[in-house]
Structure formats: structure tokens, C-alpha cells
Amino acid sequence: MYRNNNNYNPSSLESGRHNDTNANILEQQNNERIGELSDQVARLKGLTIDIGNEVREQNSLLDDMGDGFSGVSNLLGNSLKRIGTMLESGGAKHMCYMVAFVVGVMVFLYWIMTYKGTSGAR
């Protein structure tokens, strides 16, 4: 008698095909998820670059503001020194001029405010 020693099992072939199909499906899903992750990483990279650019721009604006404020501070300090020198040297006459000027500015500002208030209500 002749025996076939081939271990041919149709169910094992079917199982192998099934495993290959599952592996292909899983591979495809993994590739899709990798693509989604790479898209998200690209978006995050763009966002961080934009944030970095914005921070650099804001820092330069803040530096410019700081320079402007120091310039104004120096200007006010020098003005106060001149006013002090003027008051020390001139006496009461210069003080009267100063008070009259401040009162005049206040009256002018009051007039501007009331004029704007009446013209805007029409």
C-alpha cells in the first residue's frame, strides 16, 4: 500500500490566507494612522513655527516700547529739571506765569469737552 506522507490540510491553507488578509488589513490601518499622525505633526510644526514668529515679533515690539518709554522718561526728567531751575531763578513772576498757563490749558480742555459733548448729541 502506498501512503501519502504529504501533510496537506486544506484548513491550514484557508487559515494562512485568513491570517494574511488580517495582516494586510492591519497593515493598511496602521499606514492610515501613520498618515494621520504625520499630518497632525505637520500641523503642530506649522503652529509652533507661527507661535515662534509671533513671539519674536512681540519681543521686538516690547523692546521698541521700552526704548520709547525710556526716551519719554528722560524727556520728562529734563523738563522737570528745567522747570525747577526756572522756578529757582525767576521767583514769583515765573510761578504766576506757570499757574496761568495751567489754568488756561484746563479751561481750554473743558471747553473742548463741552463743545464735543453738545455737537455729538445733535
Side-chain angles (χ1 to χ4, degrees):
M1 288 211 167
Y2 180 80
R3 269 182 136 179
N4 190 357
N5 284 337
N6 269 347
N7 290 331
Y8 175 72
N9 188 352
S11 65
S12 69
L13 280 177
E14 191 66 32
S15 174
R17 286 184 197 148
H18 184 65
N19 286 338
D20 287 344
T21 305
N22 282 341
N24 287 339
I25 290 172
L26 290 175
E27 179 97 19
Q28 183 181 4
Q29 288 175 347
N30 283 340
N31 289 337
E32 289 172 3
R33 288 189 179 128
I34 288 171
E36 291 171 4
L37 283 174
S38 67
D39 290 343
Q40 289 177 352
V41 167
R43 276 186 270 150
L44 285 174
K45 181 181 177 184
L47 186 62
T48 55
I49 288 171
D50 291 344
I51 288 172
N53 292 338
E54 184 68 24
V55 165
R56 276 190 288 284
E57 187 178 317
Q58 294 294 326
N59 281 338
S60 96
L61 288 174
L62 287 173
D63 289 342
D64 292 344
M65 279 179 51
D67 294 342
F69 282 131
S70 69
V72 168
S73 174
N74 290 338
L75 181 67
L76 285 175
N78 291 336
S79 296
L80 288 176
K81 284 179 189 176
R82 282 190 221 133
I83 289 173
T85 305
M86 182 183 71
L87 290 177
E88 288 174 2
S89 66
K93 181 180 172 184
H94 289 279
M95 187 61 135
C96 288
Y97 288 147
M98 180 81 81
V99 169
F101 176 74
V102 169
V103 169
V105 168
M106 292 296 188
V107 169
F108 178 72
L109 289 175
Y110 176 76
W111 179 74
I112 291 285
M113 296 292 278
T114 56
Y115 178 72
K116 288 284 185 183
T118 57
S119 68
R122 291 182 191 178

